[in-house]
């Protein structure tokens, strides 16, 4: 998915992308913090609908959309990209070297620079896990780091 | 004097309140406030000086919006659109000026005043009309920002003409060399001094920061004035040179209250100097000039829109969005000889266009 980014001097920034259905979504972030979401039907030049949000509402909506309150079963991996940091939700497959071992044993931070901030499983939810926390296959680890560190983490431990 | 300033600020307070309420730009309101204040106070050197400070701070913050990187980022389509805009509106204004019997400098000033749009007014109208996401908006705001850079150079050249005794071949060359010299000097300084400036600006104390920025602006303005390229342009390039990205927000926070205060006095001073009897003198002229101002930009929007593969409707909307003129036009007209009616003419034009602009935008929908 390609997000087009345009600066609108005096107004703010405009981000737009095309959805799978061919609609165009345009998000305008005003300097004042106000957000507008425009929805254009395929081939249309005037918006079908506009949503206006305050800064606070937009952040709340963003948190809902990203799955903070409810993670659908549909995906085991997710990604949240901020300015310099990336937070990634990654499912641990059976053949991953992570499975069945503690965080410490794998020297995750030392080897990759990435940090595990949560381990989520069907019956567990460990926030800020201790170094001796055991990760099981089928768990989802939430890892934070720079883009490159996360990538290294994924490659080294066989997480897609 | 204290009483006069107090009165001005009181009227400004009411004016700003009113402008906010009726969702209008405060610029015409402040000018109108100045006209009303004529009943109580006369323009003085002190007001003139504060107004000059306002003009410099205004141009400084406009200059801050630019940096060499930003111009590079703006891309080829926007540069093309800017070229269309210059080639249509500048010559149009100059020709109309000459036809109306102004001398060459006067005609050049009119050309610049009709060419330059008010970025802040355009942005405000586009936000109000919920057009920020439409394709033509990128062109409208992009073009109007690049205009300011071109107009700044243009203003420098005109200020140079006014300083020299006549417009002979040699004078034109000299003025041009000075303006280009100042510009390239500023640009070179921007590149060479960037790391140093970055370090100096990073000082944690707000006080140190404030004095540094003000000293920087005033010294460059003084150099520019000494060279005969106008203090306001010096301030503009001071903004251009400062590394904008990291410090924009801080400069904005520290400087913009001063800017808002003195720029308001700048507009009031135009109102104070505005001779009501001039209205009769410029009425017929202004009808014509306003017509040209609207026609030129509608044509510009149409050409840019069609070249950029926008729909007819979007091209029309783009032209309508480009109608408001503003502070730069008034600043340019302020350079004109007081014997010519250029300043009152421009003030009336800016005033009417600020009111007509939104109406035409609605019509283009």
């Amino acid at each position: 998915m390609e997000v087009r980014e345009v600066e609108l001097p005096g107004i703010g920034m405009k981000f737009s992308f095309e959805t799978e259905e061919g609609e165009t979504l345009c998000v305008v972030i005003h300097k004042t913090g106000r957000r507008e979401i425009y929805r254009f039907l395929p081939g249309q030049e005037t918006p079908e609908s506009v949503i206006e949000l305050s800064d606070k509402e937009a952040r709340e909506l963003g948190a809902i959309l990203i799955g903070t309150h409810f993670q659908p079963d549909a995906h085991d991996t997710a990604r949240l990209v901020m300015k310099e940091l990336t937070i990634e939700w990654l499912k641990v497959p059976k053949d991953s070297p992570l499975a069945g071992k503690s965080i410490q044993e794998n020297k995750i931070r030392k080897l990759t620079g990435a940090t595990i901030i949560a381990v989520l499983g069907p019956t567990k939810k460990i926030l800020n896990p201790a170094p001796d926390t055991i990760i099981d296959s089928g768990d989802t680890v939430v890892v934070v780091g720079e883009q490159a560190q996360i990538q290294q983490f994924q490659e080294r431990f066989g997480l897609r | 004097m204290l009483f006069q300033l107090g009165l001005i600020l009181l009227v400004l307070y009411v004016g700003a309140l009113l402008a906010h309420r009726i969702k209008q730009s405060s610029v015409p309101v402040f000018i109108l406030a100045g006209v009303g204040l004529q009943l109580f106070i006369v323009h003085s050197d002190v007001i003139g000086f504060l107004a000059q400070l306002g003009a410099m701070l205004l141009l400084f913050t406009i200059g801050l919006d630019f940096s060499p990187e930003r111009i590079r980022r703006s891309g080829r389509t926007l540069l093309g659109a800017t070229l269309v805009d210059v080639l249509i509106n500048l010559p149009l204004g100059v020709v109309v000026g000459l036809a109306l019997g102004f001398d060459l400098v006067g005609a050049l000033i009119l050309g610049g005043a009709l060419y330059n749009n008010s970025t802040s007014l355009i942005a405000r109208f586009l936000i109000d009309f919920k057009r920020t996401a439409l394709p033509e908006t990128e062109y409208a705001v992009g073009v109007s920002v690049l205009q300011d850079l071109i107009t700044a150079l243009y203003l420098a050249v005109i200020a140079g003409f006014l300083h020299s005794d006549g417009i002979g071949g040699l004078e034109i060359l000299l003025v041009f060399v000075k303006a280009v010299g100042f510009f390239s000097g500023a640009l070179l300084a921007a590149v060479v001094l960037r790391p140093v400036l970055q370090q100096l600006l990073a000082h944690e104390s707000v006080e140190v920061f404030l004095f540094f920025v003000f000293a920087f602006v005033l010294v460059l303005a003084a150099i520019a004035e000494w060279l005969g390229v106008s203090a306001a342009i010096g301030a503009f390039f001071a903004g251009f040179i400062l590394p904008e990205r990291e410090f924009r927000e801080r400069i904005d926070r520290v400087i913009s209250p001063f800017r808002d205060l003195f720029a308001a006095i700048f507009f009031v001073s135009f109102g104070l100097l505005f001779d009501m009897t001039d209205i009769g003198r410029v009425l017929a002229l202004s009808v014509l000039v306003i017509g040209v101002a609207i026609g030129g930009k509608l044509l510009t929007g149409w050409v840019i829109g069609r070249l950029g593969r926008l729909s007819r409707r979007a091209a029309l909307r783009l032209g309508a969005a480009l109608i408001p003129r503003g502070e730069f036009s008034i600043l340019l007209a302020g350079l004109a000889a007081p014997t010519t009616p250029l300043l009152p003419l421009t003030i009336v034009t800016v005033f009417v266009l600020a009111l007509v602009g939104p109406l035409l935008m609605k019509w283009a929908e």
Side-chain angles (χ1 to χ4, degrees):
Chain A
M1 189 179 82
E2 200 188 324
V3 179
R4 204 170 83 94
E5 202 182 305
V6 193
E7 192 176 0
L8 301 175
I11 299 175
M13 289 288 283
K14 174 173 126 178
F15 302 86
S16 51
F17 64 90
E18 204 171 298
T19 63
E20 273 173 35
E21 280 84 22
E23 293 180 358
T24 302
L25 280 189
C26 249
V27 176
V28 178
I29 305 186
H30 291 250
K31 278 188 192 164
T32 55
R34 203 164 72 123
R35 316 282 208 281
E36 284 167 338
I37 307 173
Y38 291 79
R39 172 174 166 246
F40 297 86
L41 295 181
Q44 289 291 316
E45 208 184 47
T46 42
E48 178 70 15
S49 53
V50 187
I51 299 172
E52 280 183 73
L53 299 165
S54 70
D55 188 51
K56 198 175 158 215
E57 291 158 351
R59 283 170 200 282
E60 190 57 41
L61 177 67
I64 293 170
L65 290 178
I66 214 159
T68 313
H69 307 291
F70 172 72
Q71 282 280 342
D73 300 332
H75 61 87
D76 308 310
T77 60
R79 157 178 289 204
L80 173 59
V81 184
M82 283 168 289
K83 241 185 188 158
E84 268 131 24
L85 284 181
T86 302
I87 300 179
E88 196 124 14
W89 284 253
L90 296 162
K91 185 134 184 169
V92 181
K94 271 203 186 79
D95 55 356
S96 164
L98 281 182
K101 285 191 179 160
S102 73
I103 295 174
Q104 202 168 25
E105 276 175 279
N106 276 311
K107 294 186 192 148
I108 291 168
R109 188 163 9 184
K110 201 169 166 197
L111 290 174
T112 67
T115 306
I116 293 188
I117 52 172
V119 180
L120 312 170
T123 55
K124 64 180 169 191
K125 183 174 165 189
I126 307 167
L127 297 177
N128 194 13
D132 56 358
T133 306
I134 308 279
I135 298 171
D136 297 314
S137 69
D139 284 355
T140 296
V141 291
V142 185
V143 60
V144 61
E146 287 168 23
Q147 198 99 4
Q149 295 172 333
I150 302 240
Q151 205 171 353
Q152 209 177 357
F153 173 75
Q154 278 175 276
E155 277 163 20
R156 183 173 280 269
F157 296 109
L159 305 164
R160 256 211 305 164
Chain B
M1 195 62 236
L2 214 51
F3 175 72
Q4 297 197 342
L5 268 181
L7 191 64
I8 290 178
L9 289 171
L10 194 67
V11 173
L12 281 177
Y13 161 71
V14 177
L17 204 66
L18 194 76
H20 184 79
R21 176 69 56 84
I22 58 173
K23 284 197 167 177
Q24 250 295 342
S25 156
S26 37
V27 172
V29 178
F30 288 163
I31 295 174
L32 211 59
V35 174
L37 278 165
Q38 283 182 8
L39 292 172
F40 307 102
I41 51 184
V42 284
H43 195 275
S44 64
D45 284 352
V46 178
I47 295 174
F49 176 73
L50 294 177
Q52 197 194 0
L53 216 53
M56 287 189 324
L57 288 177
L58 196 65
L59 283 196
F60 171 66
T61 46
I62 293 177
L64 268 183
D65 269 334
F66 292 98
S67 60
E69 302 103 72
R70 184 152 181 189
I71 292 169
R72 220 175 306 129
R73 258 187 290 141
S74 57
R76 202 170 289 166
T77 46
L78 214 50
L79 294 181
T82 299
L83 202 64
V84 170
D85 189 27
V86 177
L87 290 181
I88 292 179
N89 292 286
L90 255 182
L92 185 67
V94 174
V95 167
V96 169
L98 288 174
L100 289 175
F102 292 115
D103 62 353
L104 185 56
V105 173
L108 286 172
I109 288 176
L110 187 66
L114 291 189
Y115 161 62
N116 191 280
N117 285 116
S118 165
T119 311
S120 59
L121 269 186
I122 288 181
R124 192 182 307 209
F125 290 148
L126 287 170
I127 291 171
D128 281 353
F129 279 90
K130 302 225 179 314
R131 294 209 188 145
T132 50
L134 300 190
E136 77 270 12
T137 297
E138 289 170 29
Y139 286 102
V141 286
V143 162
S144 76
V145 164
L146 286 178
Q147 277 173 356
D148 289 344
L149 182 63
I150 292 174
T151 313
L153 281 173
Y154 188 75
L155 203 151
V157 173
I158 288 183
F161 280 148
L162 292 168
H163 265 254
S164 59
D165 297 326
I167 308 184
L170 197 64
E171 281 85 1
I172 292 180
L173 192 70
L174 192 67
V175 161
F176 218 76
V177 166
K178 268 188 189 172
V180 169
F182 185 75
F183 178 60
S184 39
L187 203 64
L188 191 69
V191 176
V192 176
L193 293 180
R194 194 149 272 230
V196 185
L197 285 174
Q198 225 144 15
Q199 208 144 47
L200 291 176
L201 284 167
H203 199 282
E204 55 180 337
S205 158
V206 176
E207 204 179 21
V208 172
F209 182 79
L210 178 74
F211 287 133
F212 178 77
V213 173
F214 261 91
F216 189 71
V217 174
L218 289 183
V219 166
L220 267 173
I223 293 176
E225 189 162 50
W226 178 68
L227 281 172
V229 268
S230 144
I233 295 311
F236 178 88
F237 283 113
F240 188 77
I241 296 174
L242 279 188
E244 126 248 29
R245 284 216 134 182
E246 303 90 316
F247 301 106
R248 215 200 118 95
E249 212 174 302
R250 196 173 183 199
I251 294 175
D252 229 34
R253 198 158 7 100
V254 174
I255 301 293
S256 60
F258 292 96
R259 193 250 342 253
D260 293 345
L261 181 65
F262 292 119
I265 296 180
F266 170 67
F267 293 118
V268 165
S269 83
F270 280 113
L272 278 174
L273 289 172
F274 190 87
D275 188 350
M276 287 306 276
T277 55
D278 273 342
I279 287 198
R281 191 152 69 114
V282 299
L283 201 61
L285 277 183
S286 57
V287 171
L288 182 77
V289 167
I290 288 166
V292 170
I294 292 173
K297 288 293 175 176
L298 284 178
L299 178 66
T300 306
W302 186 259
V303 173
I304 294 175
R306 297 314 281 174
L307 286 178
R309 308 238 169 90
L310 297 180
S311 71
R312 283 158 198 279
R313 184 113 292 213
L316 194 62
R317 283 195 308 246
L318 176 56
L322 286 174
I323 284 170
R325 314 299 207 272
E327 48 278 16
F328 237 133
S329 305
I330 292 175
L331 195 80
L332 261 171
L335 293 177
T339 45
T340 66
L342 262 172
L343 184 57
L345 178 66
T346 308
I347 289 179
V348 171
T349 305
V350 167
F351 201 83
V352 173
L353 289 180
L355 299 174
V356 171
L359 294 179
L360 280 172
M361 282 176 77
K362 200 165 271 171
W363 162 79
E365 208 144 319

